[in-house]
Amino acid sequence: MFNFLKKKVAAHTLASPCNGNAVKMTEVNDPTFSAEMLGKGAAVVPADGKIVSPCDGTITMLFNTLHAVGITSADGIEVLLHVGIDTVNLKGNGFTAHVKQGDMVKRGDLLLTADLDAIKAAGYDPTVMMVVTNTGDFASVESSAPCTAVAGNDLVTVKEK
C-alpha cells in the first residue's frame, strides 16, 4: 500500500566485453577468479579477439602485458577485464591495446585485440573475466550467465546499496 515510500535502488548494467559464451565466474578454471576473491562478475569464453568496454568510464589501468585493463565507470564501478588465464606469461605477445591509461571510453569502444589462436597455441585458456573489483561497495553484482554473450549487450547488473 505504501510502495511509494520505498526507496528505489539504482541499478547499473555492464555489457559483455566480447562475443562468446558467458559462464558464471565460479566456473572459471582459475581459483582466484572462481572463488571471486577479486570480486563478482562474469566470464566469457570468447568467439573472437575483440575486447570492448562494458561501460562509459575512464581507463584507470592498462597492464604493460596488455592482458588486462581496469576501467572506472561514470557510476563509480571499478571493472577489471582480464583476458585469459595465466596469459600474463605471454608478456604482451598476442595482444594489441587500442587505449591507454587515462583515456575516456564509451560502452562498446574497442579496448584490446587478442589473438585467440596464439593464446590457445601457447597453451592458455582465453576466457575473459569481467570483475567488479569494488563489489563490496554495492548491494549486489549479478550476472545473467550462462548465456550467449554479445559484445555491448547487458551481462552484469550492479545494484547500489
Side-chain angles (χ1 to χ4, degrees):
M1 181 166 137
F2 293 101
N3 285 338
F4 67 92
L5 294 176
K6 290 184 180 177
K7 179 182 174 186
K8 290 186 180 181
V9 176
H12 310 281
T13 58
L14 298 174
S16 177
C18 57
N19 296 315
N21 292 313
V23 296
K24 293 186 180 297
M25 189 69 73
T26 55
E27 296 176 11
V28 170
N29 193 21
D30 179 284
T32 301
F33 288 107
S34 65
E36 298 179 324
M37 287 185 214
L38 300 176
K40 295 183 179 290
V44 180
V45 178
D48 59 53
K50 294 178 182 170
I51 310 302
V52 302
S53 181
C55 57
D56 294 353
T58 304
I59 302 298
T60 50
M61 176 185 59
L62 178 62
F63 280 76
N64 62 355
T65 52
L66 308 180
H67 76 288
V69 61
I71 305 163
T72 299
S73 80
D75 304 314
I77 302 167
E78 297 171 5
V79 181
L80 171 67
L81 296 178
H82 192 284
V83 183
I85 297 172
D86 295 328
T87 51
V88 65
N89 298 325
L90 292 173
K91 299 180 178 155
N93 293 322
F95 296 95
T96 303
H98 300 280
V99 294
K100 62 185 181 318
Q101 192 165 322
D103 283 356
M104 300 291 289
V105 293
K106 294 285 187 190
R107 179 178 173 141
D109 285 354
L110 183 63
L111 304 176
L112 303 172
T113 305
D115 183 339
L116 300 183
D117 291 334
I119 292 169
K120 291 176 191 174
Y124 296 104
D125 179 336
T127 299
V128 177
M129 281 68 66
M130 180 171 65
V131 181
V132 175
T133 58
N134 62 338
T135 292
D137 293 347
F138 299 96
S140 67
V141 175
E142 297 176 13
S143 157
S144 57
C147 63
T148 298
V150 176
N153 285 0
D154 292 350
L155 180 60
V156 171
T157 301
V158 179
K159 291 185 181 173
E160 292 183 11
K161 288 185 177 181

